[in-house]
Amino acid sequence: MLVRFAYLAVSQAFAALRLLPIGDREKDVEILALRHQLSVLQRQLGDERPRFRPEDRAFLAALLSGTPRHVLRRIRLLVSPDTVLRWHRDLIRRRHARASARRRPGRPRTVVSVRRLVLRLARENPSWGYRRIHGQLAVLGIRVAPSTFWEILKAEGIDPAPNRSSVTWPSFLRSQAEAILAMDFIETVTLNGQRQFILAAIHHASRRIRILGTTAHPTHAWVTQAVRNLLMDLEDADQLATVRFLIRDRDAKYPAMMNQILQHSGIAPVLTGVQVPRMNAVMERWVRTLRTELLDRTLIWNEAHLGRALRTYERHYNQHRPHRALAGAAPMQALPRPLSPHQIERLDIRRHDRLGGVLHEYRHAA
């Protein structure tokens, strides 16, 4: 409609310019001729009402807006003067409606980042009520009206604290993951037919793997020394104070002295059920990953070769391999800042092979 109205206004403006050089006598003749033709058309129409397009109504309403009513009655129109005035009122009403819609009456909409923070606090703290979350925002220097805050939570279907404070198993396990270690033996065979036993431990929260050693004869003395080395490593990493449980199976390779060493450091051993590997699911899943990505793809010559391969894989897993439970980060390598569009255009990624191409690592070119 707007385009047709503009075309109509421009064409009529040029028609008005054409009238400027015409004298009064010629204009009077043209007016009389147009009135006579209008009378002929009205006789042909009879009782049928003429049809005006929206742009025709808008043009006539704008053209005749300042004309008094008695003058409109003298002008020979296809519609009554009241109809023209009604068109003008409708035109003004629509213009005011568009202006008020652009102004968006009422309070301004809450900033998107603030809305996201409100929802984040509500989801991360099920026991916090509306007033507790509102107070936390005030401590952070964010001023949000209580009514606005409540509307944000209600719009997302987040109930008050008593209706959402129940703890689910996933959230409970995540809250305990910082205090849990898991341990297991992995068995493999070298090319010379020698059976090798790999002892490894994984931290549930960080998913960091520690390969404690490999041997063909896992004696009690060897296992005890491996556990002592694990405790020293945890102390160097400032994790010994947070670890409280170590999950393992009931394998006879674990000596009784091992439990005493763990308990002296404040770690309680937790034994899995008989033939229930799912009780140590995190460790079992890593064992499958180790076999899929290394042991099943590499020919291990002897114990020394196995030790070198395991040390390389441990570095790769902890520093380069993305982990789904960590949102794509590696256990010992946080996610970098997102690249800008300019940096993405100049992207240059290089591949670094490990263990003869069994493992691939990708880095930005220096």
Side-chain angles (χ1 to χ4, degrees):
M1 172 185 170
L2 184 59
V3 176
R4 293 197 296 265
F5 176 78
Y7 172 77
L8 185 61
V10 171
S11 61
Q12 295 299 330
F14 280 109
L17 292 176
R18 186 179 61 84
L19 297 176
L20 293 178
I22 302 177
D24 294 339
R25 183 177 180 279
E26 289 82 358
K27 291 180 182 179
D28 294 339
V29 172
E30 184 174 355
I31 292 173
L32 291 175
L34 292 175
R35 284 191 173 185
H36 180 69
Q37 295 179 49
L38 188 58
S39 299
V40 174
L41 291 175
Q42 287 179 332
R43 286 199 305 267
Q44 294 178 357
L45 290 173
D47 295 334
E48 185 179 352
R49 298 178 58 184
R51 297 178 181 179
F52 289 87
R53 295 180 179 178
E55 61 271 18
D56 298 326
R57 298 177 182 177
F59 177 77
L60 289 176
L63 181 64
L64 304 173
S65 60
T67 307
R69 184 186 295 268
H70 66 278
V71 177
L72 289 176
R73 295 186 181 280
R74 291 201 305 266
I75 300 176
R76 195 175 184 87
L77 298 173
L78 293 176
V79 294
S80 65
D82 293 334
T83 303
V84 176
L85 295 176
R86 179 171 55 81
W87 290 348
H88 183 260
R89 289 194 300 269
D90 293 341
L91 182 64
I92 298 299
R93 188 183 303 111
R94 286 195 296 269
R95 185 175 64 183
H96 285 308
R98 288 194 296 269
S100 61
R102 288 193 298 268
R103 285 196 298 266
R104 297 183 64 88
R107 289 181 297 178
R109 186 177 178 84
T110 309
V111 181
V112 176
S113 59
V114 176
R115 295 176 63 88
R116 291 176 179 171
L117 180 59
V118 169
L119 299 176
R120 174 187 170 188
L121 292 177
R123 292 191 177 102
E124 292 180 356
N125 304 277
S127 62
W128 286 11
Y130 282 10
R131 295 186 182 277
R132 175 67 176 84
I133 301 176
H134 184 262
Q136 183 64 49
L137 293 176
V139 171
L140 297 174
I142 302 173
R143 302 295 180 183
V144 180
S147 59
T148 302
F149 169 76
W150 294 329
E151 289 174 0
I152 293 174
L153 296 179
K154 289 181 179 179
E156 293 295 327
I158 299 178
D159 298 324
N163 298 332
R164 58 182 171 89
S165 58
S166 59
V167 180
T168 61
W169 274 111
S171 62
F172 172 76
L173 294 177
R174 281 194 294 268
S175 65
Q176 306 299 320
E178 193 68 34
I180 299 177
L181 273 176
M183 180 180 290
D184 198 8
F185 275 101
I186 304 101
E187 183 179 341
T188 188
V189 179
T190 62
L191 286 179
N192 57 14
Q194 187 181 44
R195 181 178 298 178
Q196 292 287 326
F197 297 92
I198 306 165
L199 181 60
I202 190 171
H203 186 221
H204 276 206
S206 65
R207 290 303 199 270
R208 178 181 176 181
I209 193 69
R210 290 176 172 88
I211 297 178
L212 306 180
T214 176
T215 181
H217 306 285
T219 62
H220 286 183
W222 183 89
V223 176
T224 301
Q225 185 59 46
V227 171
R228 288 196 178 100
N229 295 340
L230 171 63
L231 296 178
M232 288 188 292
D233 191 13
L234 291 174
E235 187 174 5
D236 294 339
D238 295 329
Q239 290 182 326
L240 186 59
T242 59
V243 175
R244 288 291 175 265
F245 305 98
L246 186 143
I247 303 175
R248 65 174 180 86
D249 56 24
R250 301 172 182 268
D251 199 320
K253 301 182 186 68
Y254 298 109
M257 185 179 295
M258 171 182 166
N259 295 340
Q260 299 176 7
I261 296 174
L262 292 174
Q263 291 172 354
H264 181 73
S265 300
I267 300 176
V270 179
L271 305 184
T272 62
V274 179
Q275 296 182 351
V276 189
R278 292 186 62 181
M279 292 183 66
N280 199 2
V282 175
M283 190 69 214
E284 294 291 343
R285 182 62 182 85
W286 180 82
V287 172
R288 176 184 171 185
T289 300
L290 175 67
R291 294 191 183 279
T292 302
E293 298 184 357
L294 179 65
L295 298 181
D296 294 345
R297 302 178 58 196
T298 307
L299 297 177
I300 303 298
W301 295 94
N302 49 39
E303 182 177 336
H305 182 209
L306 176 61
R308 290 193 300 270
L310 290 174
R311 286 192 295 271
T312 301
Y313 183 77
E314 181 181 2
R315 288 194 299 270
H316 169 78
Y317 187 91
N318 289 333
Q319 300 177 9
H320 298 282
R321 188 184 185 279
H323 204 291
R324 186 167 53 185
L326 303 177
M332 297 180 62
Q333 186 68 40
L335 290 175
R337 296 179 59 183
L339 299 178
S340 64
H342 177 71
Q343 292 173 320
I344 294 178
E345 292 179 357
R346 299 175 176 270
L347 203 59
D348 187 6
I349 303 296
R350 303 293 175 85
R351 191 184 80 185
H352 299 267
D353 293 341
R354 296 288 181 265
L355 298 177
V358 175
L359 303 176
H360 295 159
E361 297 174 359
Y362 296 88
R363 300 188 184 94
H364 292 276

